[in-house]
Amino acid sequence: MAKNKDKLPDATTDVIQYMQLEERNLLLELGLYKTIEIDPLVKDSLINFLSRDSMIHHPHESVIFDSFCPQCKKESTFTDLYKMRKITSTNMQLSINYSKERFLFFPIDFDISERVYIKEYMCSRNNKHIHSFYFLYNGINLTKIGQTLSHTHLFAAETKKYRNYFPDIQKELFASMKLFSEGFGVAAILYLRRIFEKLINNAAQEHINIHPHDAEKLRNARMLQKITILHEKLPSFLVQNKSMYSILSSAVHELEEDLCLEAYPFIKDSILMILDQEIDRILSRKHEETLAKELQNFQAFLGRRDTK
């Protein structure tokens, strides 16, 4: 729900066009010192979110999200600390005021419309593990000015499961997410395109190992043709959405930075969907191979038993 606005020259005060006004995006995906201009229609809902344990678009529900906990060193569920215990902030040692609105300080001019708010979330595994996020809101622009959970931790946790299956892809996915958090949309999508291409190349090599006579055909084929040839060795989501490659290429070569930033979240999630399906395919193939080997071994055992 960010309003359209020309990009400002100072990267620390850019109005982020891509950021949807959703709680998890503001907490976990909005980069530090990045600014988003708030639509006046949702101003009251945003203040309610910053001040209390309520969602922006669903004011009667509390914000709960899953994220990596550095202290637990694993994924956990986090619940708004204000809901769990309305006490003095342990991180900033400042109190929640009598109106139950959470803020850290007033500016020198005491303009009540400009405050720094703290949002704290408690790990469900250990209530001493707290994620804190700090926002400056002046009635027009919202800026994240601090957080205790680093983006590096978040990205490492989100990409960790791909390391054992695609170590080179995991590194590029991590780099893509980091670039996005820093506001580099074109570069971030370039890494996603590289991941897409590597998946196709891996499938092509697997195909050529079985059908070496197709090597020349695959080498000369365009991307959409390759996907058609390799459809049995590719995740279904990729095959069904093969035009995704043209989107990736357009983003890299033609689209503006802001438009790439706006498109990045759903493109990244599409890549993650493809990677998850590829992992399922790998595990299924290994399971089939294990079962086939066990059946063969048992058949051999029965054959030896019959000859006795």
Side-chain angles (χ1 to χ4, degrees):
M1 291 190 179
K3 293 172 63 178
N4 292 330
K5 186 172 179 179
D6 291 335
K7 201 169 178 65
L8 301 176
D10 184 354
T12 62
T13 57
D14 282 353
V15 176
I16 303 302
Q17 306 277 346
Y18 64 85
M19 181 56 58
Q20 297 295 317
L21 198 61
E22 300 292 343
E23 298 82 2
R24 193 181 190 282
N25 288 345
L26 294 176
L27 296 170
L28 302 179
E29 295 188 16
L30 182 62
L32 285 177
Y33 309 113
K34 298 298 182 181
T35 298
I36 177 172
E37 186 176 0
I38 302 302
D39 189 322
L41 294 176
V42 296
K43 175 181 177 180
D44 291 342
S45 297
L46 176 69
I47 292 177
N48 197 48
F49 161 69
L50 294 172
S51 304
R52 301 177 176 85
D53 56 316
S54 63
M55 298 181 70
I56 296 173
H57 304 296
H58 305 280
H60 301 297
E61 299 180 21
S62 298
V63 178
I64 298 175
F65 62 88
D66 293 330
S67 181
F68 180 73
C69 179
Q71 294 96 327
C72 294
K73 300 188 183 303
K74 60 181 64 177
E75 286 284 311
S76 186
T77 299
F78 286 82
T79 306
D80 195 303
L81 184 64
Y82 182 79
K83 175 183 179 182
M84 305 305 295
R85 45 179 187 161
K86 299 180 176 68
I87 61 174
T88 299
S89 166
T90 57
N91 290 329
M92 299 296 292
Q93 297 182 347
L94 295 168
S95 299
I96 300 171
N97 74 343
Y98 67 91
S99 67
K100 300 181 180 179
E101 290 187 334
R102 291 178 295 187
F103 57 89
L104 304 185
F105 65 85
F106 290 115
I108 295 176
D109 60 6
F110 290 93
D111 179 1
I112 198 168
S113 66
E114 184 173 3
R115 300 180 181 179
V116 175
Y117 293 85
I118 179 173
K119 295 289 292 182
E120 295 180 305
Y121 295 86
M122 183 177 67
C123 173
S124 61
R125 296 178 182 276
N126 187 322
N127 61 14
K128 294 182 180 179
H129 298 168
I130 307 297
H131 283 349
S132 300
F133 305 88
Y134 309 103
F135 296 94
L136 172 65
Y137 182 54
N138 62 7
I140 299 174
N141 297 320
L142 178 73
T143 306
K144 182 192 283 186
I145 60 172
Q147 64 183 56
T148 57
L149 179 64
S150 73
H151 279 126
T152 300
H153 274 129
L154 286 171
F155 302 153
E158 191 169 356
T159 62
K160 180 180 178 181
K161 67 176 179 178
Y162 305 112
R163 189 182 306 158
N164 293 334
Y165 300 96
F166 328 104
D168 54 337
I169 286 178
Q170 186 265 343
K171 291 177 182 177
E172 298 202 332
L173 182 59
F174 180 92
S176 173
M177 295 165 70
K178 191 170 189 301
L179 284 166
F180 170 73
S181 73
E182 295 170 354
F184 299 104
V186 175
I189 290 182
L190 174 59
Y191 274 95
L192 296 185
R193 191 179 75 159
R194 285 167 56 89
I195 291 171
F196 189 100
E197 292 170 341
K198 285 189 175 185
L199 288 169
I200 300 300
N201 291 337
N202 291 343
Q205 189 57 55
E206 183 182 340
H207 180 88
I208 291 170
N209 291 339
I210 302 172
H211 307 285
H213 58 278
D214 284 345
E216 184 71 18
K217 181 169 64 173
L218 282 168
R219 185 161 48 247
N220 296 326
R222 299 177 67 86
M223 182 59 71
L224 295 185
Q225 294 171 323
K226 288 181 180 180
I227 294 173
T228 300
I229 296 170
L230 302 169
H231 70 277
E232 293 183 353
K233 299 186 180 302
L234 292 170
S236 60
F237 187 83
L238 188 155
V239 175
Q240 293 164 8
N241 298 275
K242 55 187 176 182
S243 61
M244 180 179 170
Y245 187 72
S246 65
I247 296 175
L248 291 167
S249 297
S250 295
V252 171
H253 297 297
E254 302 172 17
L255 301 186
E256 298 83 2
E257 192 79 58
D258 284 345
L259 194 54
C260 287
L261 289 170
E262 183 178 347
Y264 181 87
F266 66 81
I267 295 177
K268 183 205 75 175
D269 287 346
S270 297
I271 291 292
L272 295 184
M273 170 75 77
I274 291 170
L275 291 175
D276 289 342
Q277 288 186 350
E278 180 64 6
I279 290 175
D280 290 341
R281 192 179 75 89
I282 292 171
L283 293 177
S284 177
R285 185 177 61 197
K286 288 183 177 179
H287 189 50
E288 288 176 4
E289 292 172 353
T290 299
L291 290 177
K293 186 176 181 179
E294 289 177 349
L295 287 170
Q296 292 170 3
N297 290 340
F298 191 69
Q299 184 65 42
F301 166 75
L302 292 178
R304 292 193 300 270
R305 185 168 175 266
D306 291 339
T307 59
K308 291 183 179 179

